[in-house]
Structures are given as structure tokens and as C-alpha cells.
Short mmCIF file of all heavy atoms in Angstrom, two decimals:
data_model
loop_
_atom_site.label_atom_id
_atom_site.label_comp_id
_atom_site.label_asym_id
_atom_site.label_seq_id
_atom_site.Cartn_x
_atom_site.Cartn_y
_atom_site.Cartn_z
N ASP A 16 1.53 -3.96 1.55
CA ASP A 16 0.81 -4.44 2.73
C ASP A 16 0.91 -3.49 3.91
O ASP A 16 0.88 -3.90 5.07
CB ASP A 16 1.31 -5.83 3.16
CG ASP A 16 0.75 -6.96 2.28
OD1 ASP A 16 -0.25 -6.69 1.57
OD2 ASP A 16 1.34 -8.04 2.28
N SER A 17 0.98 -2.20 3.62
CA SER A 17 0.99 -1.20 4.71
C SER A 17 -0.39 -1.09 5.32
O SER A 17 -1.36 -0.73 4.62
CB SER A 17 1.43 0.15 4.16
OG SER A 17 1.13 1.17 5.10
N PRO A 18 -0.54 -1.33 6.60
CA PRO A 18 -1.84 -1.16 7.24
C PRO A 18 -2.39 0.28 7.12
O PRO A 18 -3.58 0.48 6.94
CB PRO A 18 -1.59 -1.53 8.70
CG PRO A 18 -0.44 -2.48 8.64
CD PRO A 18 0.44 -1.94 7.52
N LEU A 19 -1.49 1.25 7.23
CA LEU A 19 -1.94 2.66 7.14
C LEU A 19 -2.52 2.94 5.77
O LEU A 19 -3.49 3.69 5.62
CB LEU A 19 -0.76 3.61 7.45
CG LEU A 19 -0.61 4.01 8.92
CD1 LEU A 19 0.66 4.84 9.10
CD2 LEU A 19 -1.81 4.82 9.40
N ILE A 20 -1.85 2.41 4.71
CA ILE A 20 -2.38 2.58 3.35
C ILE A 20 -3.71 1.86 3.23
O ILE A 20 -4.68 2.40 2.67
CB ILE A 20 -1.36 2.07 2.33
CG1 ILE A 20 -0.07 2.88 2.38
CG2 ILE A 20 -1.97 2.11 0.92
CD1 ILE A 20 -0.19 4.31 1.95
N ALA A 21 -3.77 0.66 3.76
CA ALA A 21 -5.02 -0.12 3.65
C ALA A 21 -6.17 0.56 4.34
O ALA A 21 -7.33 0.44 3.90
CB ALA A 21 -4.79 -1.51 4.23
N GLU A 22 -5.90 1.28 5.41
CA GLU A 22 -6.96 1.96 6.15
C GLU A 22 -7.62 3.03 5.31
O GLU A 22 -8.74 3.49 5.63
CB GLU A 22 -6.40 2.58 7.43
CG GLU A 22 -6.09 1.57 8.52
CD GLU A 22 -5.39 2.22 9.71
OE1 GLU A 22 -5.39 3.47 9.76
OE2 GLU A 22 -4.86 1.49 10.56
N GLN A 23 -6.94 3.49 4.24
CA GLN A 23 -7.52 4.53 3.41
C GLN A 23 -8.46 3.96 2.32
O GLN A 23 -8.96 4.69 1.50
CB GLN A 23 -6.37 5.32 2.70
CG GLN A 23 -5.32 5.82 3.65
CD GLN A 23 -5.90 6.58 4.84
OE1 GLN A 23 -6.68 7.51 4.65
NE2 GLN A 23 -5.54 6.16 6.04
N LEU A 24 -8.66 2.63 2.35
CA LEU A 24 -9.53 2.00 1.36
C LEU A 24 -10.90 1.77 1.97
O LEU A 24 -11.05 1.48 3.14
CB LEU A 24 -8.95 0.66 0.91
CG LEU A 24 -7.54 0.69 0.29
CD1 LEU A 24 -7.07 -0.71 0.04
CD2 LEU A 24 -7.55 1.49 -0.98
N THR A 25 -11.93 1.87 1.13
CA THR A 25 -13.28 1.49 1.58
C THR A 25 -13.48 0.01 1.38
O THR A 25 -13.01 -0.57 0.41
CB THR A 25 -14.34 2.26 0.79
OG1 THR A 25 -14.25 1.86 -0.58
CG2 THR A 25 -14.16 3.78 0.90
N SER A 26 -14.12 -0.59 2.33
CA SER A 26 -14.33 -2.06 2.23
C SER A 26 -15.21 -2.41 1.03
O SER A 26 -15.11 -3.51 0.49
CB SER A 26 -14.93 -2.58 3.51
OG SER A 26 -16.17 -1.92 3.77
N GLU A 27 -16.11 -1.52 0.63
CA GLU A 27 -17.06 -1.83 -0.44
C GLU A 27 -16.37 -1.84 -1.81
O GLU A 27 -16.60 -2.73 -2.64
CB GLU A 27 -18.21 -0.82 -0.45
CG GLU A 27 -19.07 -0.88 0.80
CD GLU A 27 -18.48 -0.07 1.96
OE1 GLU A 27 -17.49 0.64 1.73
OE2 GLU A 27 -18.98 -0.18 3.09
N THR A 28 -15.54 -0.85 -2.09
CA THR A 28 -14.99 -0.67 -3.44
C THR A 28 -13.52 -0.98 -3.55
O THR A 28 -12.98 -1.21 -4.63
CB THR A 28 -15.22 0.74 -3.96
OG1 THR A 28 -14.44 1.66 -3.14
CG2 THR A 28 -16.67 1.14 -3.86
N GLY A 29 -12.82 -0.95 -2.41
CA GLY A 29 -11.37 -1.10 -2.48
C GLY A 29 -10.67 0.11 -2.99
O GLY A 29 -9.47 0.10 -3.27
N ARG A 30 -11.40 1.21 -3.15
CA ARG A 30 -10.81 2.47 -3.63
C ARG A 30 -10.48 3.38 -2.45
O ARG A 30 -11.09 3.28 -1.39
CB ARG A 30 -11.74 3.17 -4.59
CG ARG A 30 -11.96 2.36 -5.88
CD ARG A 30 -12.89 3.12 -6.83
NE ARG A 30 -13.06 2.39 -8.08
CZ ARG A 30 -13.85 2.80 -9.07
NH1 ARG A 30 -14.54 3.96 -8.93
NH2 ARG A 30 -13.96 2.09 -10.17
N HIS A 31 -9.57 4.31 -2.70
CA HIS A 31 -9.17 5.25 -1.65
C HIS A 31 -10.33 6.23 -1.37
O HIS A 31 -10.98 6.72 -2.29
CB HIS A 31 -7.92 6.02 -2.06
CG HIS A 31 -6.71 5.17 -1.99
ND1 HIS A 31 -5.83 5.21 -0.94
CD2 HIS A 31 -6.20 4.23 -2.85
CE1 HIS A 31 -4.83 4.35 -1.15
NE2 HIS A 31 -5.04 3.74 -2.31
N ARG A 32 -10.51 6.54 -0.10
CA ARG A 32 -11.58 7.48 0.27
C ARG A 32 -10.95 8.78 0.71
O ARG A 32 -10.95 9.18 1.88
CB ARG A 32 -12.45 6.88 1.39
CG ARG A 32 -11.72 6.42 2.62
CD ARG A 32 -12.70 6.07 3.74
NE ARG A 32 -12.03 5.73 4.97
CZ ARG A 32 -12.01 4.52 5.52
NH1 ARG A 32 -12.66 3.55 4.94
NH2 ARG A 32 -11.38 4.30 6.65
N PHE A 33 -10.34 9.50 -0.23
CA PHE A 33 -9.67 10.76 0.08
C PHE A 33 -10.68 11.92 0.09
O PHE A 33 -11.58 11.96 -0.73
CB PHE A 33 -8.60 11.07 -0.95
CG PHE A 33 -7.40 10.18 -0.84
CD1 PHE A 33 -7.04 9.35 -1.90
CD2 PHE A 33 -6.62 10.16 0.27
CE1 PHE A 33 -5.98 8.53 -1.81
CE2 PHE A 33 -5.53 9.35 0.37
CZ PHE A 33 -5.19 8.53 -0.67
N THR A 34 -10.43 12.87 0.97
CA THR A 34 -11.15 14.13 0.89
C THR A 34 -10.43 15.01 -0.14
O THR A 34 -11.02 15.98 -0.63
CB THR A 34 -11.15 14.84 2.26
OG1 THR A 34 -9.79 14.99 2.71
CG2 THR A 34 -11.91 14.02 3.27
N ARG A 35 -9.19 14.69 -0.48
CA ARG A 35 -8.45 15.37 -1.54
C ARG A 35 -8.46 14.47 -2.76
O ARG A 35 -8.48 13.26 -2.66
CB ARG A 35 -7.02 15.68 -1.10
CG ARG A 35 -6.25 14.43 -0.67
CD ARG A 35 -5.01 14.79 0.12
NE ARG A 35 -4.22 13.60 0.45
CZ ARG A 35 -4.49 12.79 1.44
NH1 ARG A 35 -5.57 12.97 2.20
NH2 ARG A 35 -3.71 11.75 1.71
N VAL A 36 -8.43 15.08 -3.93
CA VAL A 36 -8.50 14.27 -5.15
C VAL A 36 -7.15 13.56 -5.42
O VAL A 36 -7.13 12.40 -5.80
CB VAL A 36 -8.89 15.14 -6.35
CG1 VAL A 36 -8.88 14.35 -7.65
CG2 VAL A 36 -10.25 15.77 -6.11
N GLN A 37 -6.06 14.30 -5.22
CA GLN A 37 -4.73 13.76 -5.51
C GLN A 37 -3.74 14.21 -4.45
O GLN A 37 -3.91 15.26 -3.83
CB GLN A 37 -4.25 14.29 -6.87
CG GLN A 37 -5.12 13.84 -8.07
CD GLN A 37 -4.65 14.53 -9.35
OE1 GLN A 37 -4.21 15.66 -9.34
NE2 GLN A 37 -4.75 13.82 -10.47
N ASP A 38 -2.68 13.40 -4.29
CA ASP A 38 -1.59 13.81 -3.42
C ASP A 38 -0.78 14.91 -4.09
O ASP A 38 -0.78 15.08 -5.30
CB ASP A 38 -0.67 12.64 -3.12
CG ASP A 38 -1.26 11.67 -2.12
OD1 ASP A 38 -2.01 12.15 -1.22
OD2 ASP A 38 -0.99 10.47 -2.23
N ALA A 39 -0.05 15.63 -3.27
CA ALA A 39 0.83 16.69 -3.78
C ALA A 39 1.91 16.11 -4.68
O ALA A 39 2.24 14.91 -4.60
CB ALA A 39 1.47 17.44 -2.61
N TYR A 40 2.47 16.94 -5.52
CA TYR A 40 3.51 16.47 -6.45
C TYR A 40 4.70 15.85 -5.73
O TYR A 40 5.31 14.89 -6.22
CB TYR A 40 4.03 17.67 -7.28
CG TYR A 40 3.10 18.14 -8.37
CD1 TYR A 40 1.80 17.65 -8.50
CD2 TYR A 40 3.53 19.10 -9.27
CE1 TYR A 40 0.98 18.12 -9.50
CE2 TYR A 40 2.70 19.57 -10.27
CZ TYR A 40 1.43 19.07 -10.37
OH TYR A 40 0.59 19.54 -11.38
N SER A 41 5.07 16.38 -4.56
CA SER A 41 6.26 15.88 -3.89
C SER A 41 6.08 14.42 -3.46
O SER A 41 7.08 13.70 -3.26
CB SER A 41 6.61 16.74 -2.67
OG SER A 41 5.53 16.77 -1.74
N LEU A 42 4.83 13.98 -3.35
CA LEU A 42 4.54 12.58 -3.06
C LEU A 42 4.28 11.80 -4.37
O LEU A 42 4.89 10.78 -4.62
CB LEU A 42 3.32 12.47 -2.13
CG LEU A 42 3.42 13.18 -0.80
CD1 LEU A 42 2.07 13.13 -0.07
CD2 LEU A 42 4.49 12.56 0.08
N ARG A 43 3.38 12.33 -5.17
CA ARG A 43 2.91 11.63 -6.34
C ARG A 43 3.99 11.49 -7.42
O ARG A 43 4.03 10.50 -8.16
CB ARG A 43 1.71 12.38 -6.90
CG ARG A 43 0.99 11.65 -8.00
CD ARG A 43 -0.24 12.36 -8.52
NE ARG A 43 -0.54 13.65 -8.02
CZ ARG A 43 -1.02 14.67 -8.76
NH1 ARG A 43 -1.20 14.49 -10.07
NH2 ARG A 43 -1.32 15.81 -8.23
N CYS A 44 4.85 12.47 -7.53
CA CYS A 44 5.82 12.52 -8.63
C CYS A 44 7.24 12.08 -8.20
O CYS A 44 8.19 12.31 -8.95
CB CYS A 44 5.89 13.92 -9.23
SG CYS A 44 4.32 14.51 -9.89
N ALA A 45 7.34 11.49 -7.04
CA ALA A 45 8.68 11.08 -6.58
C ALA A 45 9.39 10.16 -7.59
O ALA A 45 10.56 10.36 -7.87
CB ALA A 45 8.57 10.41 -5.20
N PRO A 46 8.72 9.17 -8.16
CA PRO A 46 9.42 8.30 -9.12
C PRO A 46 9.91 9.05 -10.34
O PRO A 46 10.96 8.72 -10.91
CB PRO A 46 8.39 7.26 -9.49
CG PRO A 46 7.42 7.25 -8.36
CD PRO A 46 7.35 8.65 -7.91
N GLN A 47 9.14 10.03 -10.78
CA GLN A 47 9.54 10.79 -11.97
C GLN A 47 10.82 11.59 -11.71
O GLN A 47 11.72 11.64 -12.56
CB GLN A 47 8.41 11.71 -12.42
CG GLN A 47 7.24 10.99 -13.05
CD GLN A 47 6.31 10.29 -12.07
OE1 GLN A 47 6.44 10.41 -10.86
NE2 GLN A 47 5.36 9.52 -12.59
N VAL A 48 10.91 12.21 -10.53
CA VAL A 48 12.11 13.01 -10.21
C VAL A 48 13.27 12.12 -9.83
O VAL A 48 14.40 12.29 -10.33
CB VAL A 48 11.77 14.00 -9.07
CG1 VAL A 48 13.04 14.73 -8.59
CG2 VAL A 48 10.74 15.02 -9.56
N HIS A 49 13.03 11.16 -8.96
CA HIS A 49 14.11 10.25 -8.59
C HIS A 49 14.58 9.46 -9.80
O HIS A 49 15.78 9.15 -9.94
CB HIS A 49 13.63 9.28 -7.50
CG HIS A 49 13.22 9.95 -6.23
ND1 HIS A 49 12.71 9.23 -5.16
CD2 HIS A 49 13.26 11.23 -5.82
CE1 HIS A 49 12.45 10.07 -4.17
NE2 HIS A 49 12.75 11.29 -4.57
N GLY A 50 13.65 9.11 -10.68
CA GLY A 50 14.01 8.39 -11.90
C GLY A 50 14.88 9.21 -12.83
O GLY A 50 15.84 8.69 -13.45
N ALA A 51 14.58 10.50 -12.98
CA ALA A 51 15.39 11.36 -13.80
C ALA A 51 16.80 11.50 -13.23
O ALA A 51 17.79 11.54 -13.95
CB ALA A 51 14.74 12.74 -13.93
N ALA A 52 16.88 11.52 -11.89
CA ALA A 52 18.19 11.59 -11.24
C ALA A 52 18.96 10.30 -11.53
O ALA A 52 20.19 10.33 -11.79
CB ALA A 52 18.03 11.78 -9.74
N ARG A 53 18.28 9.17 -11.50
CA ARG A 53 18.93 7.89 -11.80
C ARG A 53 19.43 7.87 -13.26
O ARG A 53 20.50 7.32 -13.55
CB ARG A 53 17.94 6.74 -11.60
CG ARG A 53 17.65 6.43 -10.12
CD ARG A 53 16.41 5.55 -10.02
NE ARG A 53 16.11 5.21 -8.64
CZ ARG A 53 16.50 4.08 -8.05
NH1 ARG A 53 17.19 3.19 -8.72
NH2 ARG A 53 16.21 3.85 -6.79
N ALA A 54 18.66 8.42 -14.18
CA ALA A 54 19.07 8.47 -15.58
C ALA A 54 20.31 9.32 -15.74
O ALA A 54 21.23 9.01 -16.51
CB ALA A 54 17.95 9.01 -16.44
N THR A 55 20.35 10.43 -14.99
CA THR A 55 21.54 11.30 -15.02
C THR A 55 22.75 10.54 -14.51
O THR A 55 23.86 10.63 -15.06
CB THR A 55 21.27 12.55 -14.16
OG1 THR A 55 20.11 13.21 -14.63
CG2 THR A 55 22.46 13.50 -14.20
N LEU A 56 22.54 9.79 -13.43
CA LEU A 56 23.65 8.98 -12.88
C LEU A 56 24.11 7.94 -13.87
O LEU A 56 25.33 7.71 -14.03
CB LEU A 56 23.18 8.31 -11.57
CG LEU A 56 24.17 7.39 -10.89
CD1 LEU A 56 25.50 8.09 -10.59
CD2 LEU A 56 23.58 6.83 -9.61
N ALA A 57 23.19 7.30 -14.58
CA ALA A 57 23.57 6.28 -15.57
C ALA A 57 24.43 6.90 -16.66
O ALA A 57 25.44 6.30 -17.11
CB ALA A 57 22.33 5.62 -16.16
N HIS A 58 24.06 8.09 -17.10
CA HIS A 58 24.87 8.78 -18.11
C HIS A 58 26.25 9.11 -17.57
O HIS A 58 27.27 8.90 -18.25
CB HIS A 58 24.17 10.06 -18.57
CG HIS A 58 25.01 10.95 -19.44
ND1 HIS A 58 25.55 10.50 -20.63
CD2 HIS A 58 25.44 12.21 -19.26
CE1 HIS A 58 26.27 11.47 -21.18
NE2 HIS A 58 26.22 12.52 -20.37
N ALA A 59 26.30 9.61 -16.35
CA ALA A 59 27.58 9.96 -15.74
C ALA A 59 28.49 8.74 -15.63
O ALA A 59 29.71 8.80 -15.85
CB ALA A 59 27.35 10.60 -14.37
N GLU A 60 27.88 7.59 -15.26
CA GLU A 60 28.68 6.36 -15.14
C GLU A 60 29.19 5.90 -16.51
O GLU A 60 30.29 5.30 -16.57
CB GLU A 60 27.85 5.29 -14.47
CG GLU A 60 27.61 5.56 -12.99
CD GLU A 60 26.90 4.41 -12.29
OE1 GLU A 60 25.78 4.08 -12.73
OE2 GLU A 60 27.46 3.87 -11.31
N SER A 61 28.44 6.16 -17.56
CA SER A 61 28.96 5.79 -18.88
C SER A 61 30.17 6.60 -19.24
O SER A 61 31.12 6.09 -19.86
CB SER A 61 27.85 5.95 -19.95
OG SER A 61 27.60 7.32 -20.25
N VAL A 62 30.18 7.88 -18.86
CA VAL A 62 31.37 8.74 -19.09
C VAL A 62 32.54 8.23 -18.25
O VAL A 62 33.68 8.15 -18.72
CB VAL A 62 31.01 10.20 -18.76
CG1 VAL A 62 32.28 11.06 -18.80
CG2 VAL A 62 29.99 10.72 -19.74
N ALA A 63 32.26 7.93 -16.99
CA ALA A 63 33.32 7.43 -16.09
C ALA A 63 33.91 6.14 -16.64
O ALA A 63 35.13 5.94 -16.58
CB ALA A 63 32.77 7.22 -14.68
#
């Protein structure tokens, strides 16, 4: 429910109206990198 995110939607389609096709990796791929770090932590905790 972020208003700033909602402002990027068109009222007709509900889709994002970007002048860019995709966000940069540092934004778009955050879950993949943070998730890999979490997996590493889970392994480390099993050793501990």
C-alpha cells in the first residue's frame, strides 16, 4: 500500500508506466542476494 508505488500505476490497466523496462539488479535482485545470504547463515547455524 505504498502511495509512491501506486503512483507508478496507470488507472486504466493497473500496470506500471515505466520509461525503463526493468529496474536495476540492485533493486530487482535483492531477494535473490539477500536470500542466498540467509541460506549461508542457515548452514552456518547448523554447524554451530
Side-chain angles (χ1 to χ4, degrees):
D16 282 342
S17 166
L19 270 174
I20 296 293
E22 287 174 12
Q23 308 310 305
L24 302 174
T25 63
S26 58
E27 295 83 9
T28 66
R30 294 181 179 178
H31 286 261
R32 54 170 185 249
F33 288 118
T34 56
R35 56 197 184 280
V36 177
Q37 297 174 325
D38 284 328
Y40 285 7
S41 60
L42 302 172
R43 189 177 4 141
C44 301
Q47 286 77 8
V48 173
H49 298 177
R53 287 165 178 264
T55 303
L56 177 56
H58 170 58
E60 289 185 302
S61 73
V62 172

